Amino acid sequence: MNIHNTALPESSHAVGQPAWRKEDGRLLRGQGRYTDDIDLPRQAYAFIVRSNVAHGRIRSIDTEAAKTMPGVLGIYTGADMEQYGTIQSALPFKSRDGSDMKKPRRPVLPSDKVRFVGDPIACVVAETLMQAKDAAEAIEVDIEALPVVTTLEQAVAAGAPAIFEDVPGNVCLDYHYGDSDKVNAAFSAAAHKVKLKIINSRLVVNAIEPRAAIGSYDAATERYTLHSVSQGVMGMRAGLVNAMKTTPDKVHVITGNVGGSFGMKSAVYPEYVCILHAAKMLERPVKWTDERSSSFLSDNHGRDHEQTAELALDKEGNFLALRLTGYGNLGGFQGQMGPQPPTLNTVRNVISLYRTPLMEVNTKCVFTNTTQLNPYRGAGRPEGNYYMERLIDYAAAETGFDRIELRRKNQIRKTEIPFKAASGATYDSGDFPAILKQALDASDWKGFNKRKRESGKRGKLRGIGLGAYLEVTAPANKEMGGISFDADGGVTIRTGTLDYGQGHATPFAQVLSERLGVPFERVRLLQGDSDELVAGGGTGGSRSIMNSGQAIVEAAAKVIEQGKQIASHALETSAEDIEFADGRFTVAGTDRAIDIMTLADKVRSGAIKLPPEAPQSLDVKHVTDGAPAAYPNGCHVCEVEIDPDTGVTQVVKYTAVNDFGTIINPMLTDGQTHGGVVQGLGQSLMEHTVYDEQGQLLSGSFMDYALPRAHHAPPFEVLSHPVPAKTNPLGVKGCGEAGCAGSLTSIMNAVVDALSVYGIKHIDMPATPLRVWQAIQDAQRDARQKQ
């Protein structure tokens, strides 16, 4: 259970004010309760045996010697887990020919084939973790190696080895959106056409807290309990219900503090089913905590798309049509949401904030012998914006249009909103030209040439890049807004979203405090116990403040309505005469009043005698249908310096202007922007996932995989230009993933701008020192050959 109730220093807690996060004092003192912090009586320990072969047939798994080793309680393989369900995508996609997307079912543990290095093949449970590891070493696994494909190009090549026998050509989904005839006609009539192949590179998520879980089973009630990391306990419970072949009342999920996820911890993994099975068989709890070396292999990876992007323009530079044709890598299995980022979410976001009449997206989702892919911070939103922004800069370089004027010309005007985009989305709010102007002014775009000359004197190349973006957040889902007035004088919000670093407790309390006038410091948040919730969509897609916020607003309105009826008995008048404002119920036209906390206390103590037909408390359990998608947007400007002798790139100046609608807590939105920008910086400049020809992950540790550190973070200037959304009662838009959408585009555009002195018009992520240096060498060689 995840409850935040830490006292704070005095500060303003009104909506729009930078109130301190409620949980920070406890977390900074080391008093957080993460999954691995939990130990249950008599718990045993699990260790997962993983395949060291990327593709092969399992001939045998000999566990006999391992079973006799000290402390070993049980060893489970695919045969033991066949009684359970499988893990597969729930998405209802269809291919362009109308056929259903192929959904190979992933067994909890395979009995036939392994499909990537790290594929779990056995679960060892022992009295201690070291005993489980020792026994794992004694298991003899015989796998017949099969041909391996690790790249998209290899997977779709003629005669490529089949990863799944019923998925021809390794393509599970041939996705298409748009009117091909109209798009083709627009390209035929265009005065200018540009085409650019763009790689959106693969990432290993590397949340600060590895995955962990503790499973237990109550034979008397036939009920499973899982303490686990997640992005929402109701979604995790639903996945486990399917995997365990049971019913919701038989599964209890509890999530405490979570040290980051970014999409990776949202899904059910095989390890969770294994330890629940072991707990049932052994009649004792079983704990499993991943290690960083295996999490590199087994955690869902992110991104990994290749698109050939094309833009058609008329002679004045007006956009006529956009076309994407490419691939999305799914890895060795189809993750729960794996096909969505390179398909539907790319469609929703690639148009961004530009007036583009026609679009077409053709994406083949492909299996390879690599770790499975799933959403990663933005889940197609940063990718879509990246394709458009790189394409605009490339079009400007190819056609001679100014890159800023090309954007200005095609941006949707404020007077055109609401605007129906070619993606099918209708933008309800925004002022994109004003944000562009603010970003140019704040970043001193006009003064860049002076800074470039100063960098040149030090032997550095300086580039400036702009990345405008618009994100389409996740759609509405049912969300709980429970409010209870507790015996100790506190007020608890219950909601099904889940904070895994975002800081929900504070903004949710700010909203409730404003609506009900309850003291901010008395508001708690309960979010991580499925037994306490009646609905919940979890946290993902930058939608928490929309859905939980709307649920809290609607629940607060119910509290007020119930309170008026109860107050009418306390104040001896009719409910129609009761007014509510600033936390007080007042008899209209008089000074007779009672505040909401006192009323709650009197009801709880029985001091107010209520008739049976009246509400018996102020508590409510409300479920909202949720808020529609919102459209956070903005413009980021980045400046980089590149050392041409080494290829080392440094971000030296960064300006971000964002429209997140109504801002509940600006300190948190700024923090989310900082984090997203740095993650985008990591993908842009350093994070590189590399497999060899046998499917072995060469970048499988922090010795080989570069994450951004504090000294890589640029000096930030984060500004706000809020235009409230019209689709939810708070006017909020969501901010969790926007930093990635702005940074990928602005950083890479800045890198290319710096390299443009060599005639370089594009470089793919990550722009590592080697890649940048090699691009310079190649450009200089080509220039010499032309002389």
Side-chain angles (χ1 to χ4, degrees):
M1 190 181 301
N2 202 355
I3 296 180
H4 303 304
N5 190 31
T6 303
L8 298 174
E10 291 185 7
S11 61
S12 175
H13 304 136
V15 166
Q17 297 300 309
W20 290 18
R21 298 197 334 168
K22 281 177 170 280
E23 65 270 33
D24 281 351
R26 183 166 49 83
L27 295 179
L28 291 170
R29 289 193 295 269
Q31 296 171 342
R33 188 170 172 81
Y34 297 85
T35 301
D36 190 55
D37 294 326
I38 300 168
D39 291 304
L40 300 180
R42 297 183 61 246
Q43 74 184 15
Y45 294 84
F47 184 79
I48 302 297
V49 179
R50 302 186 184 279
S51 172
N52 59 7
V53 175
H55 191 202
R57 291 189 181 90
I58 300 175
R59 288 172 170 163
S60 65
I61 303 175
D62 186 350
T63 62
E64 292 307 311
K67 286 179 179 178
T68 65
M69 294 184 67
V72 174
L73 301 171
I75 299 177
Y76 310 101
T77 62
D80 301 294
M81 308 307 291
E82 287 177 354
Q83 61 187 291
Y84 299 107
T86 55
I87 300 170
Q88 66 186 99
S89 172
L91 298 175
F93 283 126
K94 291 183 179 295
S95 289
R96 68 173 64 228
D97 63 2
S99 62
D100 290 334
M101 174 176 67
K102 294 186 178 298
K103 299 181 181 181
R105 297 181 176 182
R106 181 181 187 179
V108 176
L109 297 174
S111 299
D112 56 348
K113 286 176 70 176
V114 293
R115 292 177 169 86
F116 67 98
V117 172
D119 204 353
I121 52 179
C123 174
V124 182
V125 182
E127 293 285 356
T128 70
L129 178 58
M130 291 309 300
Q131 289 173 332
K133 286 184 175 183
D134 289 343
E137 292 288 338
I139 295 175
E140 295 184 6
V141 181
D142 183 5
I143 298 176
E144 176 192 356
L146 297 173
V148 172
V149 291
T150 61
T151 68
L152 290 164
E153 183 179 4
Q154 292 172 343
V156 299
I163 297 173
F164 293 94
E165 283 68 21
D166 59 344
V167 183
N170 296 316
V171 177
C172 77
L173 174 65
D174 184 6
Y175 179 87
H176 176 258
Y177 177 91
D179 188 319
S180 299
D181 292 339
K182 289 182 178 179
V183 171
N184 289 338
F187 272 88
S188 295
H192 304 284
K193 291 172 281 191
V194 292
K195 178 189 287 189
L196 179 64
K197 183 179 179 181
I198 304 174
I199 295 175
N200 208 293
S201 49
R202 176 186 285 243
L203 298 168
V204 179
V205 177
N206 281 313
I208 194 170
E209 176 206 19
R211 286 189 296 120
I214 305 174
S216 60
Y217 181 76
D218 185 334
T221 61
E222 300 181 330
R223 196 164 195 246
Y224 298 98
T225 297
L226 185 76
H227 294 263
S228 173
V229 297
S230 75
Q231 289 188 193
V233 292
M234 301 303 278
M236 183 63 71
R237 187 182 73 171
L240 286 170
V241 166
N242 291 331
M244 302 301 297
K245 287 188 174 180
T246 186
T247 55
D249 60 302
K250 299 300 184 183
V251 178
H252 181 198
V253 178
I254 302 171
T255 296
N257 293 119
V258 179
S261 173
F262 314 111
M264 179 267 290
K265 294 175 182 173
S266 62
V268 171
Y269 285 81
E271 296 91 345
Y272 307 160
V273 182
C274 288
I275 63 171
L276 288 174
H277 169 75
K280 181 178 181 179
M281 293 297 100
L282 300 174
E283 299 182 342
R284 60 192 292 186
V286 177
K287 183 175 186 176
W288 170 79
T289 301
D290 210 356
E291 297 177 344
R292 190 64 67 179
S293 57
S294 60
S295 70
F296 264 89
L297 300 173
S298 61
D299 291 350
N300 294 330
H301 289 182
R303 314 280 197 236
D304 203 352
H305 312 147
E306 293 183 7
Q307 293 285 359
T308 297
E310 300 174 81
L311 187 63
L313 308 88
D314 66 17
K315 63 180 181 179
E316 285 82 25
N318 296 299
F319 297 169
L320 300 178
L322 171 71
R323 180 164 55 206
L324 296 182
T325 305
Y327 300 92
N329 196 343
L330 299 184
F333 288 97
Q334 191 177 67
Q336 184 181 31
M337 299 288 288
Q340 184 145 330
T343 57
L344 179 60
N345 280 4
T346 295
V347 167
R348 288 172 172 167
N349 291 270
V350 69
I351 286 292
S352 187
L353 40 76
Y354 300 105
R355 196 187 307 102
T356 310
L358 296 167
M359 69 176 295
E360 182 180 9
V361 173
N362 308 275
T363 303
K364 292 182 178 179
C365 292
V366 177
F367 290 115
T368 61
N369 294 122
T370 61
T371 301
Q372 68 278 353
L373 278 292
N374 225 32
Y376 172 79
R377 197 169 190 169
R381 299 172 182 87
E383 296 95 313
N385 281 277
Y386 178 65
Y387 301 141
M388 178 59 100
E389 290 296 306
R390 281 298 304 126
L391 197 53
I392 293 173
D393 264 25
Y394 186 75
E398 289 287 285
T399 63
F401 288 113
D402 178 81
R403 53 181 166 160
I404 301 300
E405 292 308 314
L406 196 56
R407 287 175 169 85
R408 280 200 180 106
K409 179 183 288 290
N410 289 283
Q411 280 187 334
I412 299 162
R413 307 297 179 195
K414 189 174 183 180
T415 55
E416 297 175 288
I417 293 175
F419 183 87
K420 181 70 175 289
S423 63
T426 299
Y427 305 161
D428 67 290
S429 58
D431 191 352
F432 313 136
I435 288 175
L436 173 60
K437 182 181 185 304
Q438 185 177 353
L440 294 174
D441 291 344
S443 64
D444 187 24
W445 185 277
K446 291 181 179 179
F448 169 72
N449 286 334
K450 179 182 178 181
R451 297 190 293 277
K452 182 175 182 177
R453 289 192 295 270
E454 292 170 347
S455 296
K457 292 176 182 178
R458 293 181 281 107
K460 300 293 181 67
L461 306 172
R462 194 176 186 113
I464 188 168
L466 182 145
Y469 73 89
L470 179 142
E471 287 195 303
V472 182
T473 66
N477 60 265
K478 290 188 178 298
E479 190 54 74
M480 183 177 179
I483 300 173
S484 62
F485 291 78
D486 305 325
D488 64 356
V491 181
T492 297
I493 299 171
R494 287 170 169 78
T495 191
T497 57
L498 194 132
D499 163 20
Y500 45 90
Q502 293 87 344
H504 288 176
T506 297
F508 291 179
Q510 288 175 272
V511 171
L512 187 65
S513 181
E514 181 185 78
R515 294 284 164 157
L516 292 184
V518 298
F520 170 88
E521 62 276 4
R522 296 195 194 181
V523 180
R524 306 181 177 101
L525 176 61
L526 195 159
Q527 56 184 347
D529 188 332
S530 64
D531 280 3
E532 296 284 348
L533 305 176
V534 294
T539 291
S542 296
R543 66 186 173 185
S544 292
I545 192 60
M546 276 93 74
N547 285 311
S548 283
Q550 179 161 308
I552 292 167
V553 167
E554 293 174 359
K558 289 192 170 187
V559 170
I560 292 170
E561 182 57 35
Q562 291 178 192
K564 286 180 178 180
Q565 296 179 57
I566 295 171
S568 70
H569 296 281
L571 300 173
E572 299 179 341
T573 187
S574 67
E576 290 76 15
D577 291 334
I578 300 294
E579 297 176 342
F580 181 79
D582 300 324
R584 293 174 65 81
F585 295 96
T586 304
V587 179
T590 75
D591 59 358
R592 293 169 56 211
I594 184 170
D595 71 81
I596 191 169
M597 299 302 290
T598 301
L599 183 65
D601 182 63
K602 287 182 176 294
V603 171
R604 191 168 47 247
S605 67
I608 301 174
K609 303 302 180 183
L610 297 170
E613 67 273 13
Q616 299 302 300
S617 78
L618 293 174
D619 298 354
V620 300
K621 287 186 178 180
H622 173 68
V623 176
T624 182
D625 288 333
Y631 305 96
N633 62 90
C635 183
H636 293 197
V637 178
C638 172
E639 293 185 32
V640 300
E641 281 189 341
I642 297 176
D643 183 340
D645 295 328
T646 64
V648 172
T649 301
Q650 181 181 3
V651 176
V652 294
K653 192 172 189 289
Y654 201 96
T655 306
V657 181
N658 301 302
D659 170 14
F660 296 143
T662 301
I663 293 179
I664 307 300
N665 189 317
M667 181 173 66
L668 298 191
T669 59
D670 286 358
Q672 288 291 302
T673 300
H674 293 167
V677 168
V678 172
Q679 282 189 274
L681 183 154
Q683 181 177 6
S684 297
L685 302 181
M686 57 188 69
E687 296 185 51
H688 195 194
T689 308
V690 181
Y691 286 91
D692 69 10
E693 293 180 354
Q694 287 74 46
Q696 298 293 332
L697 183 63
L698 299 182
S699 53
S701 75
F702 290 141
M703 294 293 289
D704 315 293
Y705 187 92
L707 283 178
R709 302 186 178 213
H711 71 271
H712 293 112
F716 292 102
E717 183 176 14
V718 178
L719 304 171
S720 180
H721 190 109
V723 181
K726 298 179 181 178
T727 53
N728 63 77
L730 292 173
V732 293
K733 293 184 177 179
C735 68
E737 295 155 309
C740 281
S743 59
L744 291 183
T745 56
S746 60
I747 293 172
M748 291 307 295
N749 282 343
V751 170
V752 174
D753 182 59
L755 296 176
S756 64
V757 295
Y758 299 104
I760 295 170
K761 295 179 181 178
H762 181 70
I763 185 171
D764 276 313
M765 300 184 291
T768 60
L770 175 60
R771 284 188 172 185
V772 171
W773 181 86
Q774 190 64 60
I776 293 172
Q777 303 308 306
D778 292 346
Q780 291 177 327
R781 180 200 62 214
D782 292 345
R784 288 193 298 268
Q785 291 176 350
K786 290 178 181 179
Q787 291 177 352

